[in-house]
Amino acid sequence: MDLSVPSKENVIYMVDQMKEKLRMVNVDAMKSENFDEANYEDLVYLYEMVMKRNAFSPSEMQAIVAELGALRK
């Protein structure tokens, strides 16, 4: 998947992958359709950071979820 090109499909893919990796309990709060391409670069940055880590502390998890919340439309 070419994430260098902003598209709705890429946004959906990244959000879904992060939800799965983070094992988010409340996945309804992070529905892919709640994100758009306006914050694409920030979403790609967050996606890359999440995908390269194997584990997260509770405070890191809270910060990631807060950032995802800020990127929602």
PDB file of all heavy atoms in Angstrom, residues 21-43:
ATOM      1  N   LYS A  21      -3.432  -3.021  16.261  1.00  0.00           N
ATOM      2  CA  LYS A  21      -2.146  -3.109  16.971  1.00  0.00           C
ATOM      3  C   LYS A  21      -2.275  -2.659  18.423  1.00  0.00           C
ATOM      4  O   LYS A  21      -1.684  -3.242  19.319  1.00  0.00           O
ATOM      5  CB  LYS A  21      -1.093  -2.260  16.257  1.00  0.00           C
ATOM      6  CG  LYS A  21       0.228  -2.177  16.970  1.00  0.00           C
ATOM      7  CD  LYS A  21       1.311  -2.775  16.177  1.00  0.00           C
ATOM      8  CE  LYS A  21       2.607  -2.773  16.960  1.00  0.00           C
ATOM      9  NZ  LYS A  21       3.719  -3.056  16.137  1.00  0.00           N
ATOM     10  N   LEU A  22      -3.053  -1.614  18.648  1.00  0.00           N
ATOM     11  CA  LEU A  22      -3.216  -1.090  20.004  1.00  0.00           C
ATOM     12  C   LEU A  22      -4.237  -1.879  20.807  1.00  0.00           C
ATOM     13  O   LEU A  22      -4.396  -1.652  22.001  1.00  0.00           O
ATOM     14  CB  LEU A  22      -3.634   0.389  19.947  1.00  0.00           C
ATOM     15  CG  LEU A  22      -2.615   1.335  19.323  1.00  0.00           C
ATOM     16  CD1 LEU A  22      -3.232   2.717  19.135  1.00  0.00           C
ATOM     17  CD2 LEU A  22      -1.359   1.419  20.162  1.00  0.00           C
ATOM     18  N   ARG A  23      -4.959  -2.771  20.142  1.00  0.00           N
ATOM     19  CA  ARG A  23      -6.001  -3.574  20.794  1.00  0.00           C
ATOM     20  C   ARG A  23      -6.965  -2.676  21.564  1.00  0.00           C
ATOM     21  O   ARG A  23      -7.235  -2.890  22.745  1.00  0.00           O
ATOM     22  CB  ARG A  23      -5.383  -4.623  21.713  1.00  0.00           C
ATOM     23  CG  ARG A  23      -4.551  -5.629  20.998  1.00  0.00           C
ATOM     24  CD  ARG A  23      -4.007  -6.677  21.958  1.00  0.00           C
ATOM     25  NE  ARG A  23      -2.950  -7.429  21.340  1.00  0.00           N
ATOM     26  CZ  ARG A  23      -1.645  -7.233  21.559  1.00  0.00           C
ATOM     27  NH1 ARG A  23      -1.255  -6.307  22.397  1.00  0.00           N
ATOM     28  NH2 ARG A  23      -0.748  -7.958  20.954  1.00  0.00           N
ATOM     29  N   MET A  24      -7.452  -1.685  20.866  1.00  0.00           N
ATOM     30  CA  MET A  24      -8.327  -0.701  21.499  1.00  0.00           C
ATOM     31  C   MET A  24      -9.638  -1.345  21.909  1.00  0.00           C
ATOM     32  O   MET A  24     -10.252  -2.088  21.155  1.00  0.00           O
ATOM     33  CB  MET A  24      -8.565   0.474  20.563  1.00  0.00           C
ATOM     34  CG  MET A  24      -7.293   1.245  20.282  1.00  0.00           C
ATOM     35  SD  MET A  24      -7.546   2.611  19.161  1.00  0.00           S
ATOM     36  CE  MET A  24      -8.444   3.706  20.207  1.00  0.00           C
ATOM     37  N   VAL A  25     -10.074  -1.044  23.118  1.00  0.00           N
ATOM     38  CA  VAL A  25     -11.303  -1.607  23.651  1.00  0.00           C
ATOM     39  C   VAL A  25     -12.513  -0.942  23.007  1.00  0.00           C
ATOM     40  O   VAL A  25     -13.435  -1.603  22.562  1.00  0.00           O
ATOM     41  CB  VAL A  25     -11.349  -1.441  25.187  1.00  0.00           C
ATOM     42  CG1 VAL A  25     -12.663  -1.929  25.743  1.00  0.00           C
ATOM     43  CG2 VAL A  25     -10.189  -2.180  25.826  1.00  0.00           C
ATOM     44  N   ASN A  26     -12.515   0.358  22.951  1.00  0.00           N
ATOM     45  CA  ASN A  26     -13.652   1.096  22.405  1.00  0.00           C
ATOM     46  C   ASN A  26     -13.383   1.461  20.943  1.00  0.00           C
ATOM     47  O   ASN A  26     -13.112   2.606  20.626  1.00  0.00           O
ATOM     48  CB  ASN A  26     -13.904   2.357  23.238  1.00  0.00           C
ATOM     49  CG  ASN A  26     -15.194   3.036  22.858  1.00  0.00           C
ATOM     50  OD1 ASN A  26     -15.920   2.554  21.989  1.00  0.00           O
ATOM     51  ND2 ASN A  26     -15.473   4.150  23.487  1.00  0.00           N
ATOM     52  N   VAL A  27     -13.455   0.470  20.067  1.00  0.00           N
ATOM     53  CA  VAL A  27     -13.155   0.707  18.661  1.00  0.00           C
ATOM     54  C   VAL A  27     -14.193   1.598  17.989  1.00  0.00           C
ATOM     55  O   VAL A  27     -13.892   2.231  16.987  1.00  0.00           O
ATOM     56  CB  VAL A  27     -12.988  -0.621  17.878  1.00  0.00           C
ATOM     57  CG1 VAL A  27     -11.757  -1.362  18.340  1.00  0.00           C
ATOM     58  CG2 VAL A  27     -14.216  -1.480  17.977  1.00  0.00           C
ATOM     59  N   ASP A  28     -15.393   1.675  18.524  1.00  0.00           N
ATOM     60  CA  ASP A  28     -16.410   2.553  17.944  1.00  0.00           C
ATOM     61  C   ASP A  28     -16.009   4.018  18.047  1.00  0.00           C
ATOM     62  O   ASP A  28     -16.410   4.832  17.223  1.00  0.00           O
ATOM     63  CB  ASP A  28     -17.763   2.338  18.617  1.00  0.00           C
ATOM     64  CG  ASP A  28     -18.397   1.019  18.226  1.00  0.00           C
ATOM     65  OD1 ASP A  28     -18.034   0.491  17.152  1.00  0.00           O
ATOM     66  OD2 ASP A  28     -19.241   0.521  18.983  1.00  0.00           O
ATOM     67  N   ALA A  29     -15.209   4.360  19.034  1.00  0.00           N
ATOM     68  CA  ALA A  29     -14.756   5.746  19.190  1.00  0.00           C
ATOM     69  C   ALA A  29     -13.756   6.126  18.108  1.00  0.00           C
ATOM     70  O   ALA A  29     -13.556   7.309  17.845  1.00  0.00           O
ATOM     71  CB  ALA A  29     -14.131   5.945  20.563  1.00  0.00           C
ATOM     72  N   MET A  30     -13.138   5.137  17.487  1.00  0.00           N
ATOM     73  CA  MET A  30     -12.138   5.398  16.465  1.00  0.00           C
ATOM     74  C   MET A  30     -12.545   4.815  15.114  1.00  0.00           C
ATOM     75  O   MET A  30     -11.784   4.118  14.466  1.00  0.00           O
ATOM     76  CB  MET A  30     -10.779   4.811  16.890  1.00  0.00           C
ATOM     77  CG  MET A  30     -10.166   5.511  18.042  1.00  0.00           C
ATOM     78  SD  MET A  30      -9.818   7.220  17.575  1.00  0.00           S
ATOM     79  CE  MET A  30      -9.541   7.920  19.174  1.00  0.00           C
ATOM     80  N   LYS A  31     -13.740   5.111  14.690  1.00  0.00           N
ATOM     81  CA  LYS A  31     -14.200   4.637  13.397  1.00  0.00           C
ATOM     82  C   LYS A  31     -13.409   5.320  12.289  1.00  0.00           C
ATOM     83  O   LYS A  31     -13.162   6.521  12.338  1.00  0.00           O
ATOM     84  CB  LYS A  31     -15.685   4.924  13.216  1.00  0.00           C
ATOM     85  CG  LYS A  31     -16.570   4.090  14.100  1.00  0.00           C
ATOM     86  CD  LYS A  31     -18.014   4.371  13.820  1.00  0.00           C
ATOM     87  CE  LYS A  31     -18.889   3.534  14.734  1.00  0.00           C
ATOM     88  NZ  LYS A  31     -20.300   3.826  14.536  1.00  0.00           N
ATOM     89  N   SER A  32     -13.015   4.551  11.306  1.00  0.00           N
ATOM     90  CA  SER A  32     -12.208   5.063  10.200  1.00  0.00           C
ATOM     91  C   SER A  32     -12.873   6.229   9.483  1.00  0.00           C
ATOM     92  O   SER A  32     -12.207   7.162   9.048  1.00  0.00           O
ATOM     93  CB  SER A  32     -11.930   3.949   9.193  1.00  0.00           C
ATOM     94  OG  SER A  32     -11.295   2.885   9.807  1.00  0.00           O
ATOM     95  N   GLU A  33     -14.187   6.176   9.391  1.00  0.00           N
ATOM     96  CA  GLU A  33     -14.886   7.244   8.668  1.00  0.00           C
ATOM     97  C   GLU A  33     -14.871   8.582   9.406  1.00  0.00           C
ATOM     98  O   GLU A  33     -15.234   9.612   8.844  1.00  0.00           O
ATOM     99  CB  GLU A  33     -16.320   6.836   8.316  1.00  0.00           C
ATOM    100  CG  GLU A  33     -17.168   6.426   9.488  1.00  0.00           C
ATOM    101  CD  GLU A  33     -17.124   4.928   9.779  1.00  0.00           C
ATOM    102  OE1 GLU A  33     -16.288   4.200   9.249  1.00  0.00           O
ATOM    103  OE2 GLU A  33     -17.966   4.492  10.590  1.00  0.00           O
ATOM    104  N   ASN A  34     -14.427   8.581  10.667  1.00  0.00           N
ATOM    105  CA  ASN A  34     -14.332   9.831  11.423  1.00  0.00           C
ATOM    106  C   ASN A  34     -13.058  10.608  11.121  1.00  0.00           C
ATOM    107  O   ASN A  34     -12.834  11.669  11.680  1.00  0.00           O
ATOM    108  CB  ASN A  34     -14.399   9.554  12.927  1.00  0.00           C
ATOM    109  CG  ASN A  34     -15.761   9.070  13.356  1.00  0.00           C
ATOM    110  OD1 ASN A  34     -16.765   9.314  12.693  1.00  0.00           O
ATOM    111  ND2 ASN A  34     -15.809   8.353  14.456  1.00  0.00           N
ATOM    112  N   PHE A  35     -12.226  10.081  10.242  1.00  0.00           N
ATOM    113  CA  PHE A  35     -10.972  10.728   9.874  1.00  0.00           C
ATOM    114  C   PHE A  35     -11.030  11.098   8.407  1.00  0.00           C
ATOM    115  O   PHE A  35     -11.638  10.407   7.608  1.00  0.00           O
ATOM    116  CB  PHE A  35      -9.785   9.791  10.119  1.00  0.00           C
ATOM    117  CG  PHE A  35      -9.593   9.437  11.564  1.00  0.00           C
ATOM    118  CD1 PHE A  35     -10.294   8.388  12.135  1.00  0.00           C
ATOM    119  CD2 PHE A  35      -8.725  10.154  12.357  1.00  0.00           C
ATOM    120  CE1 PHE A  35     -10.126   8.044  13.465  1.00  0.00           C
ATOM    121  CE2 PHE A  35      -8.552   9.834  13.697  1.00  0.00           C
ATOM    122  CZ  PHE A  35      -9.254   8.780  14.249  1.00  0.00           C
ATOM    123  N   ASP A  36     -10.381  12.205   8.057  1.00  0.00           N
ATOM    124  CA  ASP A  36     -10.331  12.575   6.651  1.00  0.00           C
ATOM    125  C   ASP A  36      -8.896  12.878   6.256  1.00  0.00           C
ATOM    126  O   ASP A  36      -7.967  12.712   7.039  1.00  0.00           O
ATOM    127  CB  ASP A  36     -11.273  13.737   6.333  1.00  0.00           C
ATOM    128  CG  ASP A  36     -10.938  15.001   7.106  1.00  0.00           C
ATOM    129  OD1 ASP A  36      -9.813  15.119   7.624  1.00  0.00           O
ATOM    130  OD2 ASP A  36     -11.805  15.875   7.181  1.00  0.00           O
ATOM    131  N   GLU A  37      -8.714  13.348   5.055  1.00  0.00           N
ATOM    132  CA  GLU A  37      -7.381  13.570   4.514  1.00  0.00           C
ATOM    133  C   GLU A  37      -6.774  14.904   4.941  1.00  0.00           C
ATOM    134  O   GLU A  37      -5.618  15.171   4.631  1.00  0.00           O
ATOM    135  CB  GLU A  37      -7.429  13.467   2.998  1.00  0.00           C
ATOM    136  CG  GLU A  37      -7.856  12.090   2.522  1.00  0.00           C
ATOM    137  CD  GLU A  37      -8.184  12.053   1.050  1.00  0.00           C
ATOM    138  OE1 GLU A  37      -7.404  12.607   0.263  1.00  0.00           O
ATOM    139  OE2 GLU A  37      -9.223  11.476   0.701  1.00  0.00           O
ATOM    140  N   ALA A  38      -7.496  15.727   5.658  1.00  0.00           N
ATOM    141  CA  ALA A  38      -6.991  17.043   6.062  1.00  0.00           C
ATOM    142  C   ALA A  38      -5.759  16.934   6.957  1.00  0.00           C
ATOM    143  O   ALA A  38      -4.841  17.745   6.868  1.00  0.00           O
ATOM    144  CB  ALA A  38      -8.087  17.837   6.765  1.00  0.00           C
ATOM    145  N   ASN A  39      -5.718  15.931   7.810  1.00  0.00           N
ATOM    146  CA  ASN A  39      -4.592  15.722   8.728  1.00  0.00           C
ATOM    147  C   ASN A  39      -3.779  14.499   8.317  1.00  0.00           C
ATOM    148  O   ASN A  39      -3.229  13.798   9.156  1.00  0.00           O
ATOM    149  CB  ASN A  39      -5.109  15.524  10.159  1.00  0.00           C
ATOM    150  CG  ASN A  39      -5.833  16.742  10.672  1.00  0.00           C
ATOM    151  OD1 ASN A  39      -5.389  17.856  10.461  1.00  0.00           O
ATOM    152  ND2 ASN A  39      -6.949  16.524  11.322  1.00  0.00           N
ATOM    153  N   TYR A  40      -3.683  14.264   7.035  1.00  0.00           N
ATOM    154  CA  TYR A  40      -3.072  13.039   6.520  1.00  0.00           C
ATOM    155  C   TYR A  40      -1.627  12.862   6.987  1.00  0.00           C
ATOM    156  O   TYR A  40      -1.249  11.787   7.435  1.00  0.00           O
ATOM    157  CB  TYR A  40      -3.144  13.011   4.992  1.00  0.00           C
ATOM    158  CG  TYR A  40      -2.764  11.678   4.418  1.00  0.00           C
ATOM    159  CD1 TYR A  40      -3.660  10.623   4.429  1.00  0.00           C
ATOM    160  CD2 TYR A  40      -1.499  11.465   3.890  1.00  0.00           C
ATOM    161  CE1 TYR A  40      -3.313   9.377   3.928  1.00  0.00           C
ATOM    162  CE2 TYR A  40      -1.149  10.221   3.388  1.00  0.00           C
ATOM    163  CZ  TYR A  40      -2.059   9.190   3.401  1.00  0.00           C
ATOM    164  OH  TYR A  40      -1.713   7.962   2.912  1.00  0.00           O
ATOM    165  N   GLU A  41      -0.821  13.906   6.891  1.00  0.00           N
ATOM    166  CA  GLU A  41       0.594  13.802   7.281  1.00  0.00           C
ATOM    167  C   GLU A  41       0.734  13.435   8.758  1.00  0.00           C
ATOM    168  O   GLU A  41       1.580  12.607   9.122  1.00  0.00           O
ATOM    169  CB  GLU A  41       1.335  15.094   6.979  1.00  0.00           C
ATOM    170  CG  GLU A  41       1.550  15.328   5.499  1.00  0.00           C
ATOM    171  CD  GLU A  41       2.302  16.615   5.221  1.00  0.00           C
ATOM    172  OE1 GLU A  41       3.015  17.114   6.114  1.00  0.00           O
ATOM    173  OE2 GLU A  41       2.177  17.105   4.092  1.00  0.00           O
ATOM    174  N   ASP A  42      -0.090  14.038   9.614  1.00  0.00           N
ATOM    175  CA  ASP A  42      -0.048  13.724  11.044  1.00  0.00           C
ATOM    176  C   ASP A  42      -0.469  12.279  11.294  1.00  0.00           C
ATOM    177  O   ASP A  42       0.105  11.592  12.136  1.00  0.00           O
ATOM    178  CB  ASP A  42      -0.957  14.668  11.831  1.00  0.00           C
ATOM    179  CG  ASP A  42      -0.468  16.108  11.790  1.00  0.00           C
ATOM    180  OD1 ASP A  42       0.755  16.312  11.677  1.00  0.00           O
ATOM    181  OD2 ASP A  42      -1.317  17.012  11.876  1.00  0.00           O
ATOM    182  N   LEU A  43      -1.456  11.821  10.557  1.00  0.00           N
ATOM    183  CA  LEU A  43      -1.931  10.453  10.705  1.00  0.00           C
ATOM    184  C   LEU A  43      -0.860   9.456  10.257  1.00  0.00           C
ATOM    185  O   LEU A  43      -0.632   8.443  10.923  1.00  0.00           O
ATOM    186  CB  LEU A  43      -3.219  10.252   9.909  1.00  0.00           C
ATOM    187  CG  LEU A  43      -3.994   8.969  10.161  1.00  0.00           C
ATOM    188  CD1 LEU A  43      -4.382   8.845  11.627  1.00  0.00           C
ATOM    189  CD2 LEU A  43      -5.222   8.919   9.285  1.00  0.00           C
TER     190      LEU A  43
END
